[in-house]
Amino acid sequence: MSDTGDTHGDADCERGYGRLPTIAVVGYPNAGKSTLVNRLSGTRSTVVHETPGVTRDRKAVEAEWNGRRFVLIDTGGFDVADRSQLARAIREQVGWAIGEADAVLFVVDAKAGPLPGDHEIAQLVRRSRLPVLLVANKIDDPRKGDLAAQFYELGLDEPLPVSAIHGIGIGELLDGILEILPESHHIAGPESGEQPIPGAIVGRPNAGKSSLLNAIAGEKRVIVSEVPGTTRDAIDTIVESSQGLFRFVDTAGMRKAAKVSGVEYYSYLRSLDSLERAHVAIVVMDATMGVGELDITICSEAAKRGCATVIALNKWDAAKLDIDDLRGYVRRKVRQQPLVVPVSAVTGQGLDRLLAVVADLESRYTAHIPTAELNRALAAANELRSLPSKGGRRLKTYFIAQFQTAPPRFAVDVNDRSLITRDYGFFVENQLRARFLLDGVPVIIDFKEN
C-alpha cells in the first residue's frame, strides 16, 4: 500500500544485492503473514489461501510508504513442533531471512491467542538483536483492539492491532516500520547499474527446478524436497555470475490446467504470471524421464507469453538419453526451436553454459535488426520458393521492418493479406530465425496490406 498510489511487484533488490532496507515477516503457520505482505505492498504477489502452510520459501516483495521504499521478505510458517523434513526446511529459510534482514515483523494470530510456537519465535527474534514490530493480526473489529494486549507475555514491545484482510491499522503499522528501519543504504553488490535479466524457471512437478536454482545461486534460496509440489509461490532470486546479472523466478510445478485446483490452482496462475514478467524461460525437464507432451506444452505456454526459451535437461548425470535424438525431437515439436542444454543440479554440469545461453537469448530478444538486413533476408527467402497465389493473383512482398523488441516483432507490407498461407508465414519466420540466429526467440510477424 502506498500513499502515492504506486504499487510495486516482486523485488529485485534482496539484501545480497540490495539498495533498500529489508524486513523479515515471520510467524506461526496461518497467522496471516502473506495477506499482510500483500496489504503492505499493495500487491497480490504472494499466494494466500485458508490452508495453513501455503508459503514455504522466502519471497521478496517491494513496498513504499511516505516516499520511502523497503523490501518485505515473506516466509513460511515457523512451527518447532512439526518434525517433518519440510517443516525443518521452512525453519531454515526463516533463519536465513532473519539473517539477511534489517528488521523483523513478527505476526501473531490475535483470535488464536498466544501459542507455544509464538514463544519459540519470540526467542528466535530476540536472539537476532534486530528491531522488531509485534503485529497482532486478525483483529477485524476495531472495538476488539484489546485482544492485542494478551501478547505482552511474549516479552516484546507493544503489540500493534491490525487486520490484514480489512486494512485496519495498516497506516499505523507502516509508520512503525519507517521508525525502525535504517535509512536507505547501498549494500555490496553490482555497481554498474546493470539491470538483471528477468528469467523464469518452469517445468513439470519434481523436474528439479528448485535444485537447479539453488545450484545456480550457490546457496539454498528455495526449499528442495522429493515431494512433488513443494514450491507453491514464485520466488525471485538475484544471481550474479561471470555471464551477467540475472533475476530468476522459481515457480510451482506446472500441470495441465484442468488437473489443478485449490492452492495448486493459484500456484499455477503465479507460474503463468512469472512467464508474463520474464524475458527468458528456462524450461526444466527431467532427463531420467525423457521429454513428454506436458514438457512440450510448457514450452508452448512460455512462447505464448512472449518468452524466449531454453530447455535445461536436468539430472543428466543419471540419464541414458541420446542428446542428438532429443534435440531433433524438440526441433520438430517446439515452434521456437529452443536450444537444449544438458545440466545437473547435483554435479554442476552445464550451469555455466546454461547461463551463457540465457544471456545470449536476452541480447537477441532485445536487439533491433537493421531494416536493410531484414529486406535482404526477405528477398533471399522469396527466392527459395514460389510465393503463394490464389485465383490467378500472386502474393507480393514490398518491405519488412522491425517495430518492437522484447520480443522482436516485424511488419511485412504485402499486396493482399488474404494470400498469406499458414505455411508461408512459418517459412518466413524460420528463415528469419535461421538468418539472425533467433533459435529459442519468439519471432512475431504481422503481414499488412500496402
Side-chain angles (χ1 to χ4, degrees), residues 66-109:
N66 284 338
R68 289 186 63 190
R69 293 162 58 209
F70 51 90
V71 176
L72 299 162
I73 308 294
D74 188 24
T75 65
F78 189 99
D79 186 356
V80 176
D82 188 341
R83 300 299 179 185
S84 69
Q85 180 182 354
L86 181 59
R88 288 197 299 273
I90 290 173
R91 291 195 293 271
E92 197 174 55
Q93 289 285 318
V94 173
W96 278 329
I98 292 174
E100 294 176 351
D102 298 297
V104 177
L105 286 190
F106 177 12
V107 184
V108 293
D109 183 344

Side-chain angles (χ1 to χ4, degrees), residues 243-259:
Q243 287 81 15
L245 185 64
F246 305 86
R247 184 183 73 235
F248 287 125
V249 186
D250 179 35
T251 63
M254 297 176 68
R255 306 178 196 271
K256 291 184 178 179
K259 295 186 177 181

Side-chain angles (χ1 to χ4, degrees), residues 9 20 96 98 119 124 128 139 203 246 296 312 315 340 342 365 414:
L20 303 177
W96 278 329
I98 292 174
H119 288 271
L124 176 69
S128 74
I139 300 181
F246 305 86
I296 301 302
K315 308 181 186 180
V340 178
Y365 184 83
V414 299

